[in-house]
Amino acid sequence: MESLTNRKKVLEQKPMNFIERLYLPAIVKGMAITFKHMFKKKETIHYPEKTREFSINYRGMHSLKRDEQGRERCTACGLCALSCPAEAISMIAAERKEDEMHLYREEKYAAVYEINMLRCIFCGLCEEACPKEAIYLDGNIVPADYLRRNFIYGKDKLVEPTLT
Amino acid sequence: METAFIIEKFILVTAVFAISLLIAMYSTYAERKVAAFLQDRVGPNRAGPFGLLQPLADGAKMFFKEEIIPAQASKILFIVGPSLAMLTACMGSAVIPWGQDLEIAGKKISLQVTDINVGLLYIFGVVSLGVFGVMIGGWASNNKYSLMGAIRAASQNISYEIAMGLSIIALLMVTGTLSMKEIAAQQSGFHWNIFYQPLGFLIFLICAFAETNRTPFDLPECETELIGGYHTEYSSMKLGFYLFAEYINMFVSSAVMATLYFGGYNFPFMNDLGFSANVITIIGTVGLFIKIICFIFFFMWVRWTIPRFRYDQLMNLGWKVLIPLAIANIVLTGVVLSLT
């Protein structure tokens, strides 16, 4: 049947002639190719000294953002948890007290905010769902650990450090 | 006189032994570096500057590994195997002339451990003993994979030894002697045997690859089929001995090839330079080592280029191609010799 793409190539298997059956020309050719690679640029990145550059839209560990006055932006609406396809996010909301005005921007805030990094697939849907621009996946690679329970990251690891 | 002779030979033997161990040690490092460079990587570079202490680290690692002898293995033979492999690997270097005679205080000092008049046969004997180390080790392990590796090693070495011997016969017809010293001396200047025996050298080279169990003929330790081949059950320094013996074999066969076909310690225009005999000798020895290192590099270069042969291809090449070719080479050499 005629192929639609016109990219099909039919390879003809010819019996090898004498020179080809000697194999030596082919071996010399192959060795020339490998020798050329001696002088090529090395692909290795010397890891602990140098790290690989991430692309600009790389999605790493989450961080909970603060506003210009250093108050937590999250209002514990739960949209991130709802949008999460992996069910990695959970939180407990609390009401802001009078003397906590400098800590939280909205009247409601997340008293507990946990992301299970073993469940998270780093899709970035929480980032898109957030109406308060409070969560971004702009961190580094999530480090390895020995225990499963250490992968449940609370606010201590997620909230941005204050500027001052 | 007698004690002086013994001391002289003792120093020479120790030096040759130490140098061959040192070169084998750094061959392991060079192997990894060459492999890395051919694959656009950087290779070991953490232990010391440029990773130069890597062989020491590897050796220390081997010593500290747990020593495991399988319960059903034949204990004595299990230990004899790697020892024999190491022993035969080290023995080969005894008849290689490392240079011309040095003259110190009017006394001639030969840079060859011993000049027996059947030096070439001695090397062949030692090389064919080498297979026993692999065979005994593989058989004593009481493991199917090891046994398969041992059988392969035995059949491969036996088939390629024939072609190797036949390629040497043509060389003997040209040189007329079996003594390594005389063969080296005959190639003075640029009269290297490679120009008289190119086909013989090619056959010898291929057989040398097979005899040292190097890729593309490393079927005895073929990882994809046999796990580790004959050394599957080995651990710790016994495994180290097997791996190390391979590198010493590589060094010795490089030295043999350099001596037989590439002039040994001879280099072009050596008699026209006007230096004293001792200087020429030292330059010649350095030249021989450069040739050897080139050959070792070639061994590695081939390893990281050419894929492994299939078992039937290996036997086809050995019996159906190399042996007839070697015989044709003998006939050709005889015809040319009788005409000139």
Side-chain angles (χ1 to χ4, degrees):
Chain A
M1 205 167 76
E2 190 65 31
S3 92
L4 289 171
T5 53
N6 244 349
R7 274 178 299 194
K8 190 166 81 179
K9 266 188 201 163
V10 179
L11 287 176
E12 263 183 82
Q13 281 213 319
K14 281 178 284 186
M16 288 193 288
N17 61 30
F18 179 71
I19 304 274
E20 282 170 332
R21 264 189 295 137
L22 274 180
Y23 286 114
L24 285 175
I27 287 173
V28 170
K29 215 164 124 191
M31 291 184 64
I33 290 171
T34 46
F35 196 72
K36 258 186 245 156
H37 277 267
M38 295 265 299
F39 309 105
K40 286 211 172 138
K41 199 177 147 277
K42 309 275 172 261
E43 295 291 336
T44 312
I45 296 166
H46 294 260
Y47 167 60
E49 291 91 35
K50 279 182 206 153
T51 43
R52 193 195 203 108
E53 295 251 337
F54 290 137
S55 70
I56 42 167
N57 56 354
Y58 176 81
R59 293 193 293 265
M61 203 172 94
H62 316 65
S63 71
L64 291 172
K65 297 290 175 196
R66 296 174 187 276
D67 67 357
E68 311 81 58
Q69 295 160 39
R71 300 174 299 186
E72 282 178 30
R73 300 182 79 110
C74 179
T75 182
C77 61
L79 281 176
C80 49
L82 206 65
S83 70
C84 184
E87 305 257 339
I89 305 176
S90 64
M91 69 188 76
I92 295 168
E95 207 171 327
R96 182 179 67 177
K97 301 273 167 24
E98 274 302 308
D99 55 336
E100 289 174 338
M101 294 282 272
H102 63 289
L103 289 176
Y104 309 107
R105 201 167 70 149
E106 313 284 337
E107 284 124 58
K108 205 173 94 184
Y109 70 95
V112 178
Y113 192 101
E114 284 180 347
I115 299 178
N116 187 338
M117 289 299 176
L118 288 176
R119 296 198 69 118
C120 179
I121 57 170
F122 300 94
C123 61
L125 284 183
C126 46
E127 194 177 83
E128 269 176 49
C130 186
K132 299 289 180 189
E133 298 183 345
I135 187 164
Y136 281 98
L137 280 73
D138 56 358
N140 235 321
I141 299 169
V142 176
D145 206 298
Y146 291 105
L147 297 170
R148 281 172 171 267
R149 63 166 176 272
N150 292 345
F151 280 102
I152 298 169
Y153 281 26
K155 275 179 82 173
D156 53 326
K157 284 183 182 162
L158 293 173
V159 178
E160 239 186 359
T162 44
L163 289 171
T164 47
Chain B
M1 193 62 210
E2 197 62 23
T3 45
F5 177 77
I6 289 171
I7 290 170
E8 178 197 319
K9 287 300 176 195
F10 182 75
I11 291 171
L12 192 64
V13 168
T14 318
V16 167
F17 184 60
I19 287 171
S20 50
L21 286 190
L22 188 79
I23 287 190
M25 207 165 103
Y26 275 93
S27 296
T28 61
Y29 166 78
E31 173 106 80
R32 297 171 67 175
K33 272 288 187 198
V34 168
F37 274 64
L38 292 178
Q39 297 169 350
D40 299 345
R41 297 184 282 115
V42 284
N45 64 348
R46 296 285 148 177
F50 306 107
L52 276 173
L53 299 178
Q54 189 70 41
L56 291 178
D58 281 340
K61 182 200 76 178
M62 282 292 188
F63 272 113
F64 285 119
K65 287 273 179 180
E66 189 188 349
E67 182 97 53
I68 299 168
I69 298 181
Q72 301 301 314
S74 161
K75 219 172 219 161
I76 296 168
L77 290 182
F78 194 77
I79 296 164
V80 165
S83 322
L84 205 60
M86 196 72 175
L87 181 76
T88 51
C90 292
M91 268 162 67
S93 57
V95 292
I96 289 160
W98 300 105
Q100 282 167 308
D101 292 348
L102 269 179
E103 263 195 62
I104 299 170
K107 211 168 113 25
K108 274 199 170 179
I109 294 172
S110 167
L111 285 183
Q112 186 181 13
V113 175
T114 171
D115 177 31
I116 44 177
N117 57 7
V118 287
L120 207 46
L121 286 185
Y122 168 83
I123 285 183
F124 265 82
V126 170
V127 163
S128 35
L129 271 181
V131 74
F132 280 102
V134 172
M135 243 169 73
I136 289 175
W139 178 50
S141 303
N142 195 25
N143 174 319
K144 284 170 197 156
Y145 293 112
S146 301
L147 190 62
M148 288 294 289
I151 292 170
R152 282 185 178 193
S155 57
Q156 173 183 321
N157 279 29
I158 288 166
S159 0
Y160 278 78
E161 241 158 50
I162 300 170
M164 197 181 213
L166 288 174
S167 74
I168 282 299
I169 287 176
L171 182 76
L172 293 184
M173 288 161 72
V174 175
T175 60
T177 174
L178 276 166
S179 155
M180 294 292 274
K181 189 171 188 166
E182 276 177 48
I183 290 175
Q186 278 175 5
Q187 305 177 61
S188 176
F190 210 42
H191 299 290
W192 296 357
N193 281 334
I194 174 77
F195 303 119
Y196 306 109
Q197 285 290 328
L199 185 60
F201 170 68
L202 189 68
I203 297 166
F204 191 89
L205 182 73
I206 294 169
C207 295
F209 273 89
E211 293 286 316
T212 48
N213 292 336
R214 293 283 300 180
T215 330
F217 304 106
D218 62 342
L219 285 118
E221 44 189 309
C222 173
E223 298 93 350
T224 41
E225 296 161 25
L226 296 179
I227 311 176
Y230 57 89
H231 56 61
T232 305
E233 293 285 356
Y234 281 89
S235 61
S236 184
M237 207 51 207
K238 289 217 250 338
L239 173 69
F241 265 35
Y242 268 134
L243 303 181
F244 210 63
E246 184 187 318
Y247 286 97
I248 298 178
N249 273 330
M250 220 163 91
F251 168 66
V252 171
S253 58
S254 297
V256 169
M257 277 192 286
T259 310
L260 291 184
Y261 290 98
F262 279 82
Y265 49 75
N266 297 297
F267 53 95
F269 314 117
M270 60 190 291
N271 300 321
D272 311 328
L273 284 173
F275 293 137
S276 70
N278 278 355
V279 176
I280 295 278
T281 303
I282 290 166
I283 297 175
T285 308
V286 172
L288 174 61
F289 275 97
I290 290 171
K291 285 171 198 169
I292 290 171
I293 288 166
C294 289
F295 267 115
I296 291 177
F297 172 74
F298 184 73
F299 268 98
M300 291 168 184
W301 181 14
V302 166
R303 173 168 180 185
W304 297 105
T305 304
I306 303 171
R308 184 181 295 127
F309 275 88
R310 218 169 50 213
Y311 194 64
D312 59 317
Q313 291 172 331
L314 176 96
M315 285 297 156
N316 271 345
L317 181 68
W319 290 98
K320 289 191 190 161
V321 180
L322 287 181
I323 291 177
L325 210 59
I327 293 171
N329 189 36
I330 292 173
V331 172
L332 200 70
T333 312
V335 168
V336 171
L337 278 180
S338 63
L339 288 180
T340 49

mmCIF file with all atom_site columns, all heavy atoms in Angstrom, chain A residues 12-28:
data_model
loop_
_atom_site.group_PDB
_atom_site.id
_atom_site.type_symbol
_atom_site.label_atom_id
_atom_site.label_alt_id
_atom_site.label_comp_id
_atom_site.label_asym_id
_atom_site.label_entity_id
_atom_site.label_seq_id
_atom_site.pdbx_PDB_ins_code
_atom_site.Cartn_x
_atom_site.Cartn_y
_atom_site.Cartn_z
_atom_site.occupancy
_atom_site.B_iso_or_equiv
_atom_site.pdbx_formal_charge
_atom_site.auth_seq_id
_atom_site.auth_comp_id
_atom_site.auth_asym_id
_atom_site.auth_atom_id
_atom_site.pdbx_PDB_model_num
ATOM 1   N N   . GLU A 1 12 ? 17.084 -2.539  1.243  1.00 0.00 ? 12 GLU A N   1
ATOM 2   C CA  . GLU A 1 12 ? 17.402 -3.738  0.475  1.00 0.00 ? 12 GLU A CA  1
ATOM 3   C C   . GLU A 1 12 ? 18.562 -4.448  1.157  1.00 0.00 ? 12 GLU A C   1
ATOM 4   O O   . GLU A 1 12 ? 19.573 -3.828  1.486  1.00 0.00 ? 12 GLU A O   1
ATOM 5   C CB  . GLU A 1 12 ? 17.819 -3.346  -0.933 1.00 0.00 ? 12 GLU A CB  1
ATOM 6   C CG  . GLU A 1 12 ? 16.684 -3.441  -1.935 1.00 0.00 ? 12 GLU A CG  1
ATOM 7   C CD  . GLU A 1 12 ? 17.188 -3.101  -3.311 1.00 0.00 ? 12 GLU A CD  1
ATOM 8   O OE1 . GLU A 1 12 ? 17.755 -4.004  -3.959 1.00 0.00 ? 12 GLU A OE1 1
ATOM 9   O OE2 . GLU A 1 12 ? 17.030 -1.944  -3.726 1.00 0.00 ? 12 GLU A OE2 1
ATOM 10  N N   . GLN A 1 13 ? 18.400 -5.724  1.401  1.00 0.00 ? 13 GLN A N   1
ATOM 11  C CA  . GLN A 1 13 ? 19.495 -6.480  2.014  1.00 0.00 ? 13 GLN A CA  1
ATOM 12  C C   . GLN A 1 13 ? 20.297 -7.166  0.933  1.00 0.00 ? 13 GLN A C   1
ATOM 13  O O   . GLN A 1 13 ? 19.931 -8.223  0.443  1.00 0.00 ? 13 GLN A O   1
ATOM 14  C CB  . GLN A 1 13 ? 18.942 -7.492  3.008  1.00 0.00 ? 13 GLN A CB  1
ATOM 15  C CG  . GLN A 1 13 ? 18.583 -6.845  4.327  1.00 0.00 ? 13 GLN A CG  1
ATOM 16  C CD  . GLN A 1 13 ? 18.817 -7.794  5.469  1.00 0.00 ? 13 GLN A CD  1
ATOM 17  O OE1 . GLN A 1 13 ? 18.512 -8.961  5.372  1.00 0.00 ? 13 GLN A OE1 1
ATOM 18  N NE2 . GLN A 1 13 ? 19.359 -7.296  6.558  1.00 0.00 ? 13 GLN A NE2 1
ATOM 19  N N   . LYS A 1 14 ? 21.418 -6.515  0.606  1.00 0.00 ? 14 LYS A N   1
ATOM 20  C CA  . LYS A 1 14 ? 22.291 -7.118  -0.403 1.00 0.00 ? 14 LYS A CA  1
ATOM 21  C C   . LYS A 1 14 ? 23.302 -8.008  0.305  1.00 0.00 ? 14 LYS A C   1
ATOM 22  O O   . LYS A 1 14 ? 23.713 -7.694  1.428  1.00 0.00 ? 14 LYS A O   1
ATOM 23  C CB  . LYS A 1 14 ? 23.025 -6.022  -1.189 1.00 0.00 ? 14 LYS A CB  1
ATOM 24  C CG  . LYS A 1 14 ? 22.170 -5.383  -2.261 1.00 0.00 ? 14 LYS A CG  1
ATOM 25  C CD  . LYS A 1 14 ? 22.936 -4.287  -2.972 1.00 0.00 ? 14 LYS A CD  1
ATOM 26  C CE  . LYS A 1 14 ? 23.005 -3.057  -2.102 1.00 0.00 ? 14 LYS A CE  1
ATOM 27  N NZ  . LYS A 1 14 ? 23.613 -1.891  -2.762 1.00 0.00 ? 14 LYS A NZ  1
ATOM 28  N N   . PRO A 1 15 ? 23.708 -9.079  -0.337 1.00 0.00 ? 15 PRO A N   1
ATOM 29  C CA  . PRO A 1 15 ? 24.811 -9.849  0.257  1.00 0.00 ? 15 PRO A CA  1
ATOM 30  C C   . PRO A 1 15 ? 26.084 -9.013  0.236  1.00 0.00 ? 15 PRO A C   1
ATOM 31  O O   . PRO A 1 15 ? 26.311 -8.246  -0.694 1.00 0.00 ? 15 PRO A O   1
ATOM 32  C CB  . PRO A 1 15 ? 24.928 -11.080 -0.653 1.00 0.00 ? 15 PRO A CB  1
ATOM 33  C CG  . PRO A 1 15 ? 24.273 -10.693 -1.924 1.00 0.00 ? 15 PRO A CG  1
ATOM 34  C CD  . PRO A 1 15 ? 23.221 -9.695  -1.582 1.00 0.00 ? 15 PRO A CD  1
ATOM 35  N N   . MET A 1 16 ? 26.902 -9.158  1.299  1.00 0.00 ? 16 MET A N   1
ATOM 36  C CA  . MET A 1 16 ? 28.095 -8.320  1.410  1.00 0.00 ? 16 MET A CA  1
ATOM 37  C C   . MET A 1 16 ? 29.123 -8.713  0.367  1.00 0.00 ? 16 MET A C   1
ATOM 38  O O   . MET A 1 16 ? 29.287 -9.884  0.045  1.00 0.00 ? 16 MET A O   1
ATOM 39  C CB  . MET A 1 16 ? 28.703 -8.498  2.803  1.00 0.00 ? 16 MET A CB  1
ATOM 40  C CG  . MET A 1 16 ? 27.880 -7.854  3.879  1.00 0.00 ? 16 MET A CG  1
ATOM 41  S SD  . MET A 1 16 ? 28.771 -7.757  5.426  1.00 0.00 ? 16 MET A SD  1
ATOM 42  C CE  . MET A 1 16 ? 28.781 -9.449  5.940  1.00 0.00 ? 16 MET A CE  1
ATOM 43  N N   . ASN A 1 17 ? 29.815 -7.707  -0.164 1.00 0.00 ? 17 ASN A N   1
ATOM 44  C CA  . ASN A 1 17 ? 30.885 -8.029  -1.096 1.00 0.00 ? 17 ASN A CA  1
ATOM 45  C C   . ASN A 1 17 ? 32.163 -8.352  -0.312 1.00 0.00 ? 17 ASN A C   1
ATOM 46  O O   . ASN A 1 17 ? 32.175 -8.309  0.910  1.00 0.00 ? 17 ASN A O   1
ATOM 47  C CB  . ASN A 1 17 ? 31.112 -6.889  -2.106 1.00 0.00 ? 17 ASN A CB  1
ATOM 48  C CG  . ASN A 1 17 ? 31.518 -5.594  -1.427 1.00 0.00 ? 17 ASN A CG  1
ATOM 49  O OD1 . ASN A 1 17 ? 32.139 -5.612  -0.376 1.00 0.00 ? 17 ASN A OD1 1
ATOM 50  N ND2 . ASN A 1 17 ? 31.139 -4.476  -2.019 1.00 0.00 ? 17 ASN A ND2 1
ATOM 51  N N   . PHE A 1 18 ? 33.229 -8.627  -1.034 1.00 0.00 ? 18 PHE A N   1
ATOM 52  C CA  . PHE A 1 18 ? 34.443 -9.145  -0.369 1.00 0.00 ? 18 PHE A CA  1
ATOM 53  C C   . PHE A 1 18 ? 35.020 -8.158  0.650  1.00 0.00 ? 18 PHE A C   1
ATOM 54  O O   . PHE A 1 18 ? 35.357 -8.514  1.763  1.00 0.00 ? 18 PHE A O   1
ATOM 55  C CB  . PHE A 1 18 ? 35.496 -9.498  -1.429 1.00 0.00 ? 18 PHE A CB  1
ATOM 56  C CG  . PHE A 1 18 ? 36.773 -10.000 -0.832 1.00 0.00 ? 18 PHE A CG  1
ATOM 57  C CD1 . PHE A 1 18 ? 36.811 -11.257 -0.230 1.00 0.00 ? 18 PHE A CD1 1
ATOM 58  C CD2 . PHE A 1 18 ? 37.922 -9.221  -0.821 1.00 0.00 ? 18 PHE A CD2 1
ATOM 59  C CE1 . PHE A 1 18 ? 37.968 -11.728 0.340  1.00 0.00 ? 18 PHE A CE1 1
ATOM 60  C CE2 . PHE A 1 18 ? 39.091 -9.692  -0.244 1.00 0.00 ? 18 PHE A CE2 1
ATOM 61  C CZ  . PHE A 1 18 ? 39.111 -10.945 0.333  1.00 0.00 ? 18 PHE A CZ  1
ATOM 62  N N   . ILE A 1 19 ? 35.100 -6.891  0.229  1.00 0.00 ? 19 ILE A N   1
ATOM 63  C CA  . ILE A 1 19 ? 35.690 -5.866  1.119  1.00 0.00 ? 19 ILE A CA  1
ATOM 64  C C   . ILE A 1 19 ? 34.861 -5.762  2.400  1.00 0.00 ? 19 ILE A C   1
ATOM 65  O O   . ILE A 1 19 ? 35.391 -5.659  3.499  1.00 0.00 ? 19 ILE A O   1
ATOM 66  C CB  . ILE A 1 19 ? 35.720 -4.514  0.394  1.00 0.00 ? 19 ILE A CB  1
ATOM 67  C CG1 . ILE A 1 19 ? 36.476 -4.604  -0.924 1.00 0.00 ? 19 ILE A CG1 1
ATOM 68  C CG2 . ILE A 1 19 ? 36.306 -3.440  1.306  1.00 0.00 ? 19 ILE A CG2 1
ATOM 69  C CD1 . ILE A 1 19 ? 37.947 -4.424  -0.832 1.00 0.00 ? 19 ILE A CD1 1
ATOM 70  N N   . GLU A 1 20 ? 33.538 -5.798  2.244  1.00 0.00 ? 20 GLU A N   1
ATOM 71  C CA  . GLU A 1 20 ? 32.683 -5.684  3.427  1.00 0.00 ? 20 GLU A CA  1
ATOM 72  C C   . GLU A 1 20 ? 32.818 -6.903  4.323  1.00 0.00 ? 20 GLU A C   1
ATOM 73  O O   . GLU A 1 20 ? 32.751 -6.795  5.535  1.00 0.00 ? 20 GLU A O   1
ATOM 74  C CB  . GLU A 1 20 ? 31.215 -5.520  2.992  1.00 0.00 ? 20 GLU A CB  1
ATOM 75  C CG  . GLU A 1 20 ? 30.888 -4.120  2.528  1.00 0.00 ? 20 GLU A CG  1
ATOM 76  C CD  . GLU A 1 20 ? 29.524 -4.036  1.877  1.00 0.00 ? 20 GLU A CD  1
ATOM 77  O OE1 . GLU A 1 20 ? 29.050 -5.042  1.297  1.00 0.00 ? 20 GLU A OE1 1
ATOM 78  O OE2 . GLU A 1 20 ? 28.914 -2.962  1.944  1.00 0.00 ? 20 GLU A OE2 1
ATOM 79  N N   . ARG A 1 21 ? 33.043 -8.066  3.692  1.00 0.00 ? 21 ARG A N   1
ATOM 80  C CA  . ARG A 1 21 ? 33.154 -9.276  4.506  1.00 0.00 ? 21 ARG A CA  1
ATOM 81  C C   . ARG A 1 21 ? 34.474 -9.340  5.267  1.00 0.00 ? 21 ARG A C   1
ATOM 82  O O   . ARG A 1 21 ? 34.613 -10.094 6.212  1.00 0.00 ? 21 ARG A O   1
ATOM 83  C CB  . ARG A 1 21 ? 32.977 -10.525 3.624  1.00 0.00 ? 21 ARG A CB  1
ATOM 84  C CG  . ARG A 1 21 ? 31.530 -11.024 3.661  1.00 0.00 ? 21 ARG A CG  1
ATOM 85  C CD  . ARG A 1 21 ? 31.386 -12.350 2.989  1.00 0.00 ? 21 ARG A CD  1
ATOM 86  N NE  . ARG A 1 21 ? 31.673 -12.240 1.570  1.00 0.00 ? 21 ARG A NE  1
ATOM 87  C CZ  . ARG A 1 21 ? 32.406 -13.121 0.903  1.00 0.00 ? 21 ARG A CZ  1
ATOM 88  N NH1 . ARG A 1 21 ? 32.928 -14.157 1.522  1.00 0.00 ? 21 ARG A NH1 1
ATOM 89  N NH2 . ARG A 1 21 ? 32.617 -12.964 -0.380 1.00 0.00 ? 21 ARG A NH2 1
ATOM 90  N N   . LEU A 1 22 ? 35.426 -8.528  4.855  1.00 0.00 ? 22 LEU A N   1
ATOM 91  C CA  . LEU A 1 22 ? 36.683 -8.471  5.595  1.00 0.00 ? 22 LEU A CA  1
ATOM 92  C C   . LEU A 1 22 ? 36.487 -7.810  6.956  1.00 0.00 ? 22 LEU A C   1
ATOM 93  O O   . LEU A 1 22 ? 37.262 -8.024  7.869  1.00 0.00 ? 22 LEU A O   1
ATOM 94  C CB  . LEU A 1 22 ? 37.717 -7.660  4.811  1.00 0.00 ? 22 LEU A CB  1
ATOM 95  C CG  . LEU A 1 22 ? 38.543 -8.366  3.777  1.00 0.00 ? 22 LEU A CG  1
ATOM 96  C CD1 . LEU A 1 22 ? 39.486 -7.381  3.118  1.00 0.00 ? 22 LEU A CD1 1
ATOM 97  C CD2 . LEU A 1 22 ? 39.343 -9.472  4.415  1.00 0.00 ? 22 LEU A CD2 1
ATOM 98  N N   . TYR A 1 23 ? 35.492 -6.966  7.062  1.00 0.00 ? 23 TYR A N   1
ATOM 99  C CA  . TYR A 1 23 ? 35.143 -6.238  8.290  1.00 0.00 ? 23 TYR A CA  1
ATOM 100 C C   . TYR A 1 23 ? 36.168 -5.193  8.687  1.00 0.00 ? 23 TYR A C   1
ATOM 101 O O   . TYR A 1 23 ? 35.875 -4.281  9.444  1.00 0.00 ? 23 TYR A O   1
ATOM 102 C CB  . TYR A 1 23 ? 34.928 -7.181  9.493  1.00 0.00 ? 23 TYR A CB  1
ATOM 103 C CG  . TYR A 1 23 ? 33.638 -7.935  9.407  1.00 0.00 ? 23 TYR A CG  1
ATOM 104 C CD1 . TYR A 1 23 ? 33.629 -9.312  9.250  1.00 0.00 ? 23 TYR A CD1 1
ATOM 105 C CD2 . TYR A 1 23 ? 32.426 -7.265  9.478  1.00 0.00 ? 23 TYR A CD2 1
ATOM 106 C CE1 . TYR A 1 23 ? 32.441 -10.015 9.154  1.00 0.00 ? 23 TYR A CE1 1
ATOM 107 C CE2 . TYR A 1 23 ? 31.241 -7.940  9.387  1.00 0.00 ? 23 TYR A CE2 1
ATOM 108 C CZ  . TYR A 1 23 ? 31.256 -9.317  9.228  1.00 0.00 ? 23 TYR A CZ  1
ATOM 109 O OH  . TYR A 1 23 ? 30.084 -10.002 9.138  1.00 0.00 ? 23 TYR A OH  1
ATOM 110 N N   . LEU A 1 24 ? 37.400 -5.336  8.196  1.00 0.00 ? 24 LEU A N   1
ATOM 111 C CA  . LEU A 1 24 ? 38.442 -4.414  8.681  1.00 0.00 ? 24 LEU A CA  1
ATOM 112 C C   . LEU A 1 24 ? 38.163 -2.957  8.330  1.00 0.00 ? 24 LEU A C   1
ATOM 113 O O   . LEU A 1 24 ? 38.339 -2.083  9.184  1.00 0.00 ? 24 LEU A O   1
ATOM 114 C CB  . LEU A 1 24 ? 39.813 -4.849  8.150  1.00 0.00 ? 24 LEU A CB  1
ATOM 115 C CG  . LEU A 1 24 ? 40.388 -6.071  8.869  1.00 0.00 ? 24 LEU A CG  1
ATOM 116 C CD1 . LEU A 1 24 ? 41.675 -6.511  8.217  1.00 0.00 ? 24 LEU A CD1 1
ATOM 117 C CD2 . LEU A 1 24 ? 40.637 -5.752  10.335 1.00 0.00 ? 24 LEU A CD2 1
ATOM 118 N N   . PRO A 1 25 ? 37.724 -2.640  7.089  1.00 0.00 ? 25 PRO A N   1
ATOM 119 C CA  . PRO A 1 25 ? 37.411 -1.231  6.813  1.00 0.00 ? 25 PRO A CA  1
ATOM 120 C C   . PRO A 1 25 ? 36.347 -0.682  7.762  1.00 0.00 ? 25 PRO A C   1
ATOM 121 O O   . PRO A 1 25 ? 36.477 0.439   8.257  1.00 0.00 ? 25 PRO A O   1
ATOM 122 C CB  . PRO A 1 25 ? 36.902 -1.249  5.377  1.00 0.00 ? 25 PRO A CB  1
ATOM 123 C CG  . PRO A 1 25 ? 37.460 -2.470  4.784  1.00 0.00 ? 25 PRO A CG  1
ATOM 124 C CD  . PRO A 1 25 ? 37.545 -3.471  5.880  1.00 0.00 ? 25 PRO A CD  1
ATOM 125 N N   . ALA A 1 26 ? 35.354 -1.503  8.048  1.00 0.00 ? 26 ALA A N   1
ATOM 126 C CA  . ALA A 1 26 ? 34.288 -1.051  8.948  1.00 0.00 ? 26 ALA A CA  1
ATOM 127 C C   . ALA A 1 26 ? 34.828 -0.824  10.350 1.00 0.00 ? 26 ALA A C   1
ATOM 128 O O   . ALA A 1 26 ? 34.459 0.143   11.033 1.00 0.00 ? 26 ALA A O   1
ATOM 129 C CB  . ALA A 1 26 ? 33.169 -2.081  8.969  1.00 0.00 ? 26 ALA A CB  1
ATOM 130 N N   . ILE A 1 27 ? 35.749 -1.720  10.793 1.00 0.00 ? 27 ILE A N   1
ATOM 131 C CA  . ILE A 1 27 ? 36.331 -1.568  12.134 1.00 0.00 ? 27 ILE A CA  1
ATOM 132 C C   . ILE A 1 27 ? 37.162 -0.291  12.202 1.00 0.00 ? 27 ILE A C   1
ATOM 133 O O   . ILE A 1 27 ? 37.059 0.487   13.156 1.00 0.00 ? 27 ILE A O   1
ATOM 134 C CB  . ILE A 1 27 ? 37.183 -2.819  12.468 1.00 0.00 ? 27 ILE A CB  1
ATOM 135 C CG1 . ILE A 1 27 ? 36.265 -4.001  12.763 1.00 0.00 ? 27 ILE A CG1 1
ATOM 136 C CG2 . ILE A 1 27 ? 38.093 -2.549  13.654 1.00 0.00 ? 27 ILE A CG2 1
ATOM 137 C CD1 . ILE A 1 27 ? 36.972 -5.307  12.937 1.00 0.00 ? 27 ILE A CD1 1
ATOM 138 N N   . VAL A 1 28 ? 37.957 -0.048  11.135 1.00 0.00 ? 28 VAL A N   1
ATOM 139 C CA  . VAL A 1 28 ? 38.775 1.171   11.116 1.00 0.00 ? 28 VAL A CA  1
ATOM 140 C C   . VAL A 1 28 ? 37.875 2.409   11.171 1.00 0.00 ? 28 VAL A C   1
ATOM 141 O O   . VAL A 1 28 ? 38.143 3.366   11.903 1.00 0.00 ? 28 VAL A O   1
ATOM 142 C CB  . VAL A 1 28 ? 39.659 1.187   9.861  1.00 0.00 ? 28 VAL A CB  1
ATOM 143 C CG1 . VAL A 1 28 ? 40.333 2.525   9.690  1.00 0.00 ? 28 VAL A CG1 1
ATOM 144 C CG2 . VAL A 1 28 ? 40.713 0.099   9.957  1.00 0.00 ? 28 VAL A CG2 1
#
